[in-house]
Amino acid sequence: ISWLTQKRTTVENEINALEDHQPLSTAVLFSLNPLTLAGANTFIDELISLSGGSNISKDSSSHTPTLSPEALLQKQPEVILISAEAANADDIKELTRDPIWSQLSAFKNNRVYLVDGDNLKIPGPRQVFTLEQIAAALHPTIFTPPHQLKQVNTRPEPQRP
């Protein structure tokens, strides 16, 4: 477990060293239908904070709140992490054509990632892998993305004449 503590300390020190750091609003989605997120007071919520983010569901009374796409649009997460068990890259690219999803800041700025769904479910020693994925998604210039983290290109495809 010392490696878990060491990794947490490394991430925490890197985030604390950032000048004028403002937490990035972050959504971790377990499911797209219904739209289910990581809620407040969960280990995912803690890992988001540790990684320099702010969970958009931090005020929820549920550990796994559900939202409508319109409510997600109102919250405008800067970074979205989606369980690889809930979607694949093609599913997410399809969402770029949706009038609501395409207006999300994370989609407009290409900050949508697939994360290993197994490690999102149960807290334990493997949460270090989830921490690495969240930290790399929020701060890709500081943390090397692990192979489990997949950025999905959400930029609109150019129109062909």
Side-chain angles (χ1 to χ4, degrees):
I1 303 293
S2 64
W3 55 273
L4 174 60
T5 304
Q6 181 181 14
K7 188 59 157 178
R8 288 174 64 99
T9 301
T10 300
V11 169
E12 194 170 36
N13 289 342
E14 290 288 341
I15 297 303
N16 289 336
L18 293 173
E19 291 186 29
D20 300 323
H21 172 69
Q22 296 297 316
L24 294 166
S25 62
T26 305
V28 174
L29 308 179
F30 296 126
S31 168
L32 296 178
N33 191 14
L35 192 55
T36 308
L37 294 82
N41 302 315
T42 61
F43 82 98
I44 297 296
D45 183 45
E46 179 184 351
L47 297 180
I48 292 169
S49 295
L50 189 65
S51 299
S54 175
N55 186 355
I56 66 163
S57 297
K58 66 182 175 213
D59 297 328
S60 171
S61 60
S62 171
H63 292 303
T64 54
T66 57
L67 290 178
S68 67
E70 293 82 5
L72 185 65
L73 180 62
Q74 284 184 326
K75 293 188 178 279
Q76 279 297 337
E78 296 169 274
V79 179
I80 297 176
L81 297 110
I82 303 172
S83 169
E85 292 181 355
N88 61 39
D90 290 336
D91 297 331
I92 296 168
K93 287 180 183 189
E94 188 66 32
L95 290 174
T96 63
R97 295 183 186 100
D98 182 277
I100 294 174
W101 287 87
S102 64
Q103 294 306 306
L104 291 167
S105 176
F107 271 71
K108 288 180 180 180
N109 296 310
N110 208 35
R111 300 293 306 270
V112 179
Y113 301 85
L114 283 170
V115 295
D116 181 4
D118 277 344
N119 295 331
L120 288 176
K121 293 178 187 173
I122 303 169
R126 293 188 312 163
Q127 70 181 277
V128 70
F129 303 121
T130 305
L131 174 61
E132 289 175 334
Q133 292 177 71
I134 294 172
L138 270 59
H139 301 284
T141 59
I142 299 173
F143 302 104
T144 303
H147 73 278
Q148 302 97 331
L149 181 70
K150 307 286 187 225
Q151 185 174 17
V152 179
N153 184 358
T154 56
R155 291 193 174 104
E157 293 188 20
Q159 298 294 324
R160 297 178 192 227

